Structure formats: C-alpha cells, structure tokens
Amino acid sequence: MSSIDLTGKVAVVTGSGRGLGLAYAHALAAAGASVVVNDIDETVAEQAVKSITAAGGTAVAEVVPVGTTEAAERLVNRAVEEFGRLDILVTNAGILRDKVMWKMTDDDFDAVITTHLKGTFTCARAAAVRMREQGEGGTLILVGSPAGQRGNFGQTNYAAAKAGIAAFARTWSMELGRANITVNAIVPVAATAMTETIPAFAPYIEALKNGEPFPAFLRKGEGFGTPEDCAALVPFLASEAARGITGQAIGIGGDKVALWSHPQEIRAAYADGGWTPETLADAWPTSVGAELQSVGIPAPKFPEA
C-alpha cells in the first residue's frame, strides 16, 4: 500500500469498533488518513482508537448509533472539529434481526432498515453536504453484502437494505459526479461475528482463532477470508488511483476481488399491439422464460472428505 497515500485526508467509518469496520479504519489510518471511529459501545470504540494509535495512526471516537440525521451530523462535525475537514465516509454500521418473513416483526424489520439503509442515507447525505462545501471532491464507500446482490433465506430486512445500498451507489454516483465525489458499494465476504453463525463456516473460523489459516479452497474458491483481507479495497477506493471508479459494486474476500454486474435486461420478446395473458403464456417458455435467473447465495463447495 506504499503507493496509496491518504496523508491529510480525514475519514469517518461507521460501526468501526470491531470486525470489518475496525479493519477498514486501520487500513485508512495506515495509509495516512485521520479516522473518526464510530461504535455504540464506548469501551469498544476507545479500544479501537488505542489500537490504531498504537500502530502509528491517528483516530478519535464518536459513540452514537447511526440512523438519525442528528447522529450523522455528529459524526461529520466530529471529523471537522478534530481534523478540519472530511474526505472519506465508509458506511459500515449494521445489525442483524434474522427471521423468515412470516415470523419477522415490525420491530425486526424497522431496526435493520434504520441502521443499514437510513443510516447509510443520513450519513452519506451529511458527508456529501460537507464535501460539496469544501469543493475538493471526496469518497463515499457504502458497505453492501452478497445478501443484497442475491437474496438470502431469513434475511428479508437485511437483504432489502443491502440491495438498497447498492442502488444508492449507482444513483449517488450520478448526482455527485460533478462535485468529484465518487460513490461505490463494496461487497465484503469475511469471517466475522455475523458469518461465524453459519454452520458450514464455523469449524474453519474456530480453527482460524486457534492460529490455523483458511485453506485455499475457501480463500480462492469462495473468496472467504479475514476482515483484514477485505480492508485494502477501502484505502484504494479513497485514493487518487481510483478517482475514475464510481457507481460500482465491488466484491472482495480472501484472495479474490470481483466486479458485480448491475441489474439489466437479459432477454426480451415483442408482440405487435401488445401482450395478452394468453400470448404471454404461449411465448414465455421459449422466449424470456427460457432461462430464469437463480436466487440466493451459492452454498460453499467444500472438498470431499
């Protein structure tokens, strides 16, 4: 990362007390940026700041749950008060309330949408206002998920929020382009408190805690690794080397980095004068319905014992 220099830049990373967010904050600080760490737990946030400063970086903590306009403005104001500006925002904060749709309560739905989707919106809006006032461009990095790209069983709220976040990136890249503010969604896949609850990954994550590295079939074949494996994408996207990259969804995990496609039409059929239910039924199997799209996150392909 020696060629990626963020000296003089200031970043806010939401949900950065632990896991992926902490890895992003460390990577930004290592590249020279001053970082506002955010978490809802003061002790966790302060420990994160200490770990960054112990490694030679610069960081302060702002303890607030994201979601509201007030919280977003606190984060932006803290960056400006401490470091004089804001150049980079990483919207990482998130929670889970997983249940199948018919068992999901309004509170389950609202909590996840507020933190992920509204939290991303309010923080990005506050950051964009400040960056436009500064007139020197900036970087918004929105954290998505494979669940938002593909759907995932039991994650109605989370998948919907993450799909919306990818749509934010496409929309805001157009709206903020003239201000030289790039906006991208990243789609990390890593061993975290969220993924260690997945039975297929649990033994490998436990082995990792005991000092054993992930096997190659996970790191390469599944693109699954540690939070630190995902972190390099953040300072890269915040750097001048990525100034021409905007409106994209970029996956990273283990040894793999990938560009996700945008939703687009893949087949079309036409009927003079328009369609009726009957003509749709006749034409569907051999035209637009000939190869329907799959849904869900593909199951890991583990080697045979």
Side-chain angles (χ1 to χ4, degrees), residues 13 69 74 80 132 166 179 202 229 275 301:
V13 184
T69 295
R74 274 181 57 178
V80 175
R132 292 179 79 251
D229 290 322
W275 292 92
K301 297 177 181 178

PDB file of all heavy atoms in Angstrom, residues 13 69 74 80 132 166 179 202 229 275 301:
ATOM      1  N   VAL A  13     -15.646   6.231   9.688  1.00  0.00           N
ATOM      2  CA  VAL A  13     -16.024   4.842   9.435  1.00  0.00           C
ATOM      3  C   VAL A  13     -17.071   4.449  10.466  1.00  0.00           C
ATOM      4  O   VAL A  13     -16.766   4.341  11.659  1.00  0.00           O
ATOM      5  CB  VAL A  13     -14.819   3.887   9.513  1.00  0.00           C
ATOM      6  CG1 VAL A  13     -15.251   2.467   9.134  1.00  0.00           C
ATOM      7  CG2 VAL A  13     -13.681   4.358   8.618  1.00  0.00           C
ATOM      8  N   THR A  69     -30.587  11.712  11.504  1.00  0.00           N
ATOM      9  CA  THR A  69     -29.857  12.865  10.977  1.00  0.00           C
ATOM     10  C   THR A  69     -28.922  13.429  12.029  1.00  0.00           C
ATOM     11  O   THR A  69     -27.785  13.823  11.725  1.00  0.00           O
ATOM     12  CB  THR A  69     -30.852  13.943  10.520  1.00  0.00           C
ATOM     13  OG1 THR A  69     -31.601  13.427   9.410  1.00  0.00           O
ATOM     14  CG2 THR A  69     -30.144  15.222  10.104  1.00  0.00           C
ATOM     15  N   ARG A  74     -23.436  14.562  13.915  1.00  0.00           N
ATOM     16  CA  ARG A  74     -22.422  14.446  14.967  1.00  0.00           C
ATOM     17  C   ARG A  74     -21.126  13.860  14.419  1.00  0.00           C
ATOM     18  O   ARG A  74     -20.028  14.330  14.743  1.00  0.00           O
ATOM     19  CB  ARG A  74     -22.946  13.577  16.116  1.00  0.00           C
ATOM     20  CG  ARG A  74     -23.744  14.313  17.160  1.00  0.00           C
ATOM     21  CD  ARG A  74     -24.203  13.393  18.269  1.00  0.00           C
ATOM     22  NE  ARG A  74     -23.105  12.681  18.942  1.00  0.00           N
ATOM     23  CZ  ARG A  74     -23.281  11.862  19.972  1.00  0.00           C
ATOM     24  NH1 ARG A  74     -24.516  11.626  20.431  1.00  0.00           N
ATOM     25  NH2 ARG A  74     -22.248  11.260  20.533  1.00  0.00           N
ATOM     26  N   VAL A  80     -14.765  17.337  11.402  1.00  0.00           N
ATOM     27  CA  VAL A  80     -14.387  18.721  11.099  1.00  0.00           C
ATOM     28  C   VAL A  80     -13.767  19.394  12.321  1.00  0.00           C
ATOM     29  O   VAL A  80     -12.760  20.117  12.211  1.00  0.00           O
ATOM     30  CB  VAL A  80     -15.608  19.509  10.578  1.00  0.00           C
ATOM     31  CG1 VAL A  80     -15.253  20.974  10.385  1.00  0.00           C
ATOM     32  CG2 VAL A  80     -16.115  18.905   9.274  1.00  0.00           C
ATOM     33  N   ARG A 132     -19.243  18.828  -0.618  1.00  0.00           N
ATOM     34  CA  ARG A 132     -19.585  19.818  -1.646  1.00  0.00           C
ATOM     35  C   ARG A 132     -19.211  21.225  -1.196  1.00  0.00           C
ATOM     36  O   ARG A 132     -18.764  22.047  -1.994  1.00  0.00           O
ATOM     37  CB  ARG A 132     -21.070  19.727  -1.997  1.00  0.00           C
ATOM     38  CG  ARG A 132     -21.432  18.428  -2.717  1.00  0.00           C
ATOM     39  CD  ARG A 132     -22.912  18.319  -3.039  1.00  0.00           C
ATOM     40  NE  ARG A 132     -23.249  19.127  -4.227  1.00  0.00           N
ATOM     41  CZ  ARG A 132     -23.959  20.244  -4.203  1.00  0.00           C
ATOM     42  NH1 ARG A 132     -24.415  20.732  -3.057  1.00  0.00           N
ATOM     43  NH2 ARG A 132     -24.216  20.890  -5.322  1.00  0.00           N
ATOM     44  N   ALA A 166     -26.757  -0.757  -2.607  1.00  0.00           N
ATOM     45  CA  ALA A 166     -26.154  -0.848  -3.944  1.00  0.00           C
ATOM     46  C   ALA A 166     -26.824   0.130  -4.903  1.00  0.00           C
ATOM     47  O   ALA A 166     -26.163   0.752  -5.744  1.00  0.00           O
ATOM     48  CB  ALA A 166     -26.252  -2.275  -4.473  1.00  0.00           C
ATOM     49  N   ALA A 179     -19.428  17.064  -8.524  1.00  0.00           N
ATOM     50  CA  ALA A 179     -18.684  17.527  -7.348  1.00  0.00           C
ATOM     51  C   ALA A 179     -17.403  16.721  -7.135  1.00  0.00           C
ATOM     52  O   ALA A 179     -16.707  16.911  -6.122  1.00  0.00           O
ATOM     53  CB  ALA A 179     -19.561  17.448  -6.105  1.00  0.00           C
ATOM     54  N   ALA A 202     -18.353 -22.345  10.395  1.00  0.00           N
ATOM     55  CA  ALA A 202     -17.990 -22.307  11.813  1.00  0.00           C
ATOM     56  C   ALA A 202     -16.698 -23.059  12.149  1.00  0.00           C
ATOM     57  O   ALA A 202     -15.842 -22.526  12.865  1.00  0.00           O
ATOM     58  CB  ALA A 202     -19.146 -22.820  12.663  1.00  0.00           C
ATOM     59  N   ASP A 229      -8.405  -9.073   5.051  1.00  0.00           N
ATOM     60  CA  ASP A 229      -8.330  -9.352   3.616  1.00  0.00           C
ATOM     61  C   ASP A 229      -9.214  -8.403   2.811  1.00  0.00           C
ATOM     62  O   ASP A 229      -8.943  -8.133   1.639  1.00  0.00           O
ATOM     63  CB  ASP A 229      -8.766 -10.794   3.322  1.00  0.00           C
ATOM     64  CG  ASP A 229      -7.778 -11.829   3.814  1.00  0.00           C
ATOM     65  OD1 ASP A 229      -6.565 -11.586   3.719  1.00  0.00           O
ATOM     66  OD2 ASP A 229      -8.224 -12.874   4.311  1.00  0.00           O
ATOM     67  N   TRP A 275     -49.347  -7.317 -25.371  1.00  0.00           N
ATOM     68  CA  TRP A 275     -49.491  -8.681 -24.873  1.00  0.00           C
ATOM     69  C   TRP A 275     -50.840  -8.903 -24.207  1.00  0.00           C
ATOM     70  O   TRP A 275     -51.433  -8.006 -23.633  1.00  0.00           O
ATOM     71  CB  TRP A 275     -48.393  -8.971 -23.848  1.00  0.00           C
ATOM     72  CG  TRP A 275     -47.018  -9.028 -24.446  1.00  0.00           C
ATOM     73  CD1 TRP A 275     -46.134  -7.995 -24.562  1.00  0.00           C
ATOM     74  CD2 TRP A 275     -46.392 -10.166 -25.016  1.00  0.00           C
ATOM     75  NE1 TRP A 275     -44.982  -8.419 -25.176  1.00  0.00           N
ATOM     76  CE2 TRP A 275     -45.100  -9.759 -25.463  1.00  0.00           C
ATOM     77  CE3 TRP A 275     -46.773 -11.502 -25.201  1.00  0.00           C
ATOM     78  CZ2 TRP A 275     -44.207 -10.629 -26.069  1.00  0.00           C
ATOM     79  CZ3 TRP A 275     -45.864 -12.375 -25.799  1.00  0.00           C
ATOM     80  CH2 TRP A 275     -44.610 -11.933 -26.237  1.00  0.00           C
ATOM     81  N   LYS A 301     -18.580 -24.733  -1.724  1.00  0.00           N
ATOM     82  CA  LYS A 301     -18.189 -26.025  -2.297  1.00  0.00           C
ATOM     83  C   LYS A 301     -16.992 -26.563  -1.531  1.00  0.00           C
ATOM     84  O   LYS A 301     -15.846 -26.230  -1.797  1.00  0.00           O
ATOM     85  CB  LYS A 301     -17.846 -25.847  -3.783  1.00  0.00           C
ATOM     86  CG  LYS A 301     -19.039 -25.383  -4.623  1.00  0.00           C
ATOM     87  CD  LYS A 301     -18.629 -25.164  -6.073  1.00  0.00           C
ATOM     88  CE  LYS A 301     -19.823 -24.665  -6.897  1.00  0.00           C
ATOM     89  NZ  LYS A 301     -19.443 -24.394  -8.320  1.00  0.00           N
TER      90      LYS A 301
END
